[in-house]
Amino acid sequence: MPDDKQPQLTIWGRANSVNVQKVLWCLTELDLPFARIDAGMQYGRTREADYLAMNPNARIPTLVEGDFVLWESNSIMRYLCLAHGRGTPIYPAAPKRRAAVDRWLDWTLSTLQPVDRPVFWGLVRTPPEQRDMVQLQKDADTAAEIWQVLDRQLAARRYVEGDDFTIADIALGAYARRWLGVEGIVRPALSHLERWFAQFAGRRGFTTYVAPPMS
């Protein structure tokens, strides 16, 4: 637990953002108290001058801790582990193990997020009468190829990088919630991915912030 004299951790961002959800899950794993302020989409605020002074990208989440401001969800998770984790196994200290975790954080944003977005937005944030289901299935087929990469990685591992749960599992687990939770597309059976994902039902951060209905 942080010292009572430390500044409060505040997260700016709406609760239904996958990148905000990653941070909230991480905070829960570390048992860190925090406040959250709605921002983004229907809440606005991200284009206001005071927000842009914190995050010039006008995106969420943004972490504020006293006079320290940090944006980019994976960077926020890394910082929380380094500053407040005190040797937490969710971000290992050994260089090779940490690099292995980091690569999946990078992969989530560089490879997975681009193929996740069209499927999620098309099925969850687009009215049914406006959906192009033929295109959405093509998008889903493209995404499935990427998810198969992770399924193969998990074939002989409990978690993404071995026996220990890490922030790589948080990053990927938040996106897996979207992939496995949407309806209206045909997905291949990915037994290793599904077995891995089922483990999160026992984690408070997942059930509180990631598992609720998507919107």
Side-chain angles (χ1 to χ4, degrees):
M1 295 292 290
D3 189 286
D4 290 341
K5 296 180 181 179
Q6 287 185 322
Q8 175 176 269
L9 294 165
T10 300
I11 304 298
W12 286 75
R14 52 189 165 78
N16 65 342
S17 159
V18 66
N19 289 317
V20 173
Q21 290 171 351
K22 291 189 294 186
V23 172
L24 302 182
W25 185 357
C26 181
L27 284 159
T28 305
E29 292 288 340
L30 297 173
D31 198 25
L32 294 172
F34 64 92
R36 185 181 62 80
I37 300 173
D38 280 321
M41 287 184 65
Q42 70 268 35
Y43 301 104
R45 307 189 74 164
T46 59
R47 294 288 178 181
E48 296 175 4
D50 59 346
Y51 190 87
L52 290 171
M54 296 189 297
N55 187 339
N57 303 287
R59 302 184 71 176
I60 55 172
T62 297
L63 166 73
V64 179
E65 184 181 19
D67 60 359
F68 178 65
V69 177
L70 186 65
W71 36 267
E72 285 295 331
S73 57
N74 288 348
S75 294
I76 292 172
M77 289 199 295
R78 291 182 179 106
Y79 168 75
L80 291 171
C81 292
L82 293 171
H84 301 283
R86 298 183 181 181
T88 174
I90 71 171
Y91 194 43
K96 291 179 180 178
R97 295 189 62 208
R98 179 169 292 183
V101 169
D102 282 338
R103 67 178 170 186
W104 287 106
L105 297 180
D106 295 339
W107 185 85
T108 301
L109 296 181
S110 68
T111 304
L112 180 60
Q113 187 177 45
V115 298
D116 164 85
R117 185 178 177 85
V119 178
F120 178 80
W121 275 77
L123 292 173
V124 176
R125 294 182 177 162
T126 301
E129 66 275 11
Q130 297 179 21
R131 295 172 189 164
D132 181 345
M133 294 308 299
V134 173
Q135 182 59 50
L136 279 170
Q137 185 58 57
K138 292 179 180 177
D139 293 337
D141 292 341
T142 299
E145 295 179 5
I146 302 304
W147 284 110
Q148 287 168 341
V149 173
L150 182 58
D151 186 69
R152 290 190 292 270
Q153 171 73 7
L154 291 163
R157 296 170 175 84
R158 181 181 180 189
Y159 292 111
V160 173
E161 276 301 326
D163 291 332
D164 294 326
F165 176 89
T166 70
I167 57 175
D169 297 283
I170 292 178
L172 292 164
Y175 277 93
R177 163 72 177 102
R178 292 153 62 113
W179 171 247
L180 296 172
V182 294
E183 298 179 353
I185 55 169
V186 177
R187 286 180 295 259
L190 299 173
S191 60
H192 307 302
L193 181 80
E194 292 168 4
R195 182 268 311 158
W196 162 79
F197 183 76
Q199 299 175 103
F200 303 147
R203 307 195 82 96
R204 182 166 55 92
F206 173 83
T207 57
T208 302
Y209 300 111
V210 183
M214 298 180 293
S215 63

